[in-house]
Amino acid sequence: QVQLVESGGGLVQSGGSLRLSCAASGIFFSTYTVGWYRQAPGNQREMVAQVTSGGATNYADSLKGRFTISRDNAEDTVYLQMNNLKPEDPAVYYCNADRILAPRGTYWGRGTQVTVSS
C-alpha cells in the first residue's frame, strides 16, 4: 500500500528553523512530483513547495527564500527546510506525491503539526 509519513514537526521559537521529512513507500518515488502543503485552522490548504522528478522546484511566492525543498530518491524521502519561522507559519504540514503519467496517482500523508512560539 502507498504510504507517505511526515515527521519533524513540533514547537519552534519564532525566527528559528525546523526540518520536515516525508518518507514514501509503495510508489516508484523517483518518478513523482512531491511537495509540501499546509493548512492552518480556518484556512484553505495551500501549496508550500514542490520538487519534480527532474529536480525543478516551485515555491509559494510568500515563502520563497525562507523554505527549501529537497529530495533523496535513494531514501524515498522529501524534506522541507524551514528557516526564519514566523507567526503565520504554524499549521499542519502535509506531504503530497503526484504522477500524471501511467501509472497515475495522487497521494497524501496524514500531516505533521508545526507550532511557532514567540
Side-chain angles (χ1 to χ4, degrees):
Q1 292 295 116
V2 176
Q3 295 284 335
L4 301 176
V5 181
E6 302 96 335
S7 62
L11 177 65
V12 65
Q13 188 177 356
S14 180
S17 298
L18 205 61
R19 190 190 194 197
L20 306 183
S21 299
C22 172
S25 61
I27 59 172
F28 193 175
F29 179 78
S30 64
T31 68
Y32 282 73
T33 292
V34 294
W36 289 94
Y37 295 71
R38 70 184 185 183
Q39 187 167 19
N43 292 349
Q44 296 280 84
R45 188 172 298 186
E46 63 176 345
M47 189 274 289
V48 174
Q50 295 175 318
V51 56
T52 70
S53 61
T57 57
N58 181 41
Y59 297 91
D61 288 342
S62 63
L63 302 177
K64 192 173 184 178
R66 293 196 296 120
F67 291 9
T68 303
I69 190 170
S70 61
R71 65 191 299 165
D72 185 343
N73 289 336
E75 298 295 332
D76 290 349
T77 301
V78 62
Y79 304 95
L80 183 69
Q81 179 67 47
M82 305 187 293
N83 296 327
N84 192 22
L85 284 159
K86 299 180 179 296
E88 62 266 31
D89 295 326
V92 177
Y93 284 71
Y94 297 91
C95 179
N96 170 266
D98 184 77
R99 178 186 167 111
I100 61 173
L101 298 178
R104 299 184 299 275
T106 300
Y107 307 99
W108 292 92
R110 295 174 181 176
T112 185
Q113 177 72 52
V114 172
T115 304
V116 180
S117 64
S118 61

